[in-house]
Amino acid sequence: LVSAILIVPGLIGALLMQTTISQMAMSIVRERERGTLEALVVSPIRRWELLLGKIIPNLLVAFGQMTMALLVARFVFDVPMRGSLPLLYALSLLFMWGTLGIGIFVSAAARTVPQAMQLAFLTFLPSIYLSGLLFPIDGMPVAAQYLSSVIPLTYYLRIVRGIVLKGIGIEYLWPHLLPLVAFGAVIFTL
């Protein structure tokens, strides 16, 4: 019943989502605006190598932010760390797979950096309100509860809170992993 203990682990998911979507989208759109993306596409590197070159730096930045957020949560807000941190980092990678895919998808739709920022914000804002970060999902209208079931942050918040606050393992988390894996596969296919 302490709001900081409930909200601060959830903010890790919001931070990862915002960072990975917006940075990924803006980096690709910025390359397109400058004309360097076309030069990269016609170079001898393969498309997957180009995407990997864009994804890996964003992952490293996101993991750095996650580490800082966990340190602040522990030492500033006294949030207990009861679970396995390697498991949290591994499952966070699955979450970021989907959010990086959203960033790539947004970059395909946006033509300018401001457009990419607005589209990223358009995906981010509903996720914050409908994922259970600030408001319990059970208290939402039925239509909002159905919408929350297609938002990856909903499942990631259950994973983060489960590991950090309860110390539960993978045997209890796999029902929340399957939607994250499915979402990542669908968004990268698109």
Side-chain angles (χ1 to χ4, degrees), residues 66-89:
M66 182 177 166
T67 302
M68 291 300 297
L70 287 170
L71 290 171
V72 168
R74 178 69 190 111
F75 295 112
V76 175
F77 293 102
D78 291 326
V79 174
M81 300 291 170
R82 295 190 172 105
S84 167
L85 288 179
L87 178 63
L88 178 62
Y89 278 86

Side-chain angles (χ1 to χ4, degrees), residues 2 10 21 24 38 44 46 61 65 71 99 109 112 131 139 151 165-166 182 190:
V2 177
I21 292 174
M24 189 69 184
E38 287 79 14
R46 295 180 190 95
V61 168
Q65 285 182 331
L71 290 171
T99 57
T112 64
S131 66
I151 295 174
L165 301 178
K166 298 176 186 175
L190 290 174

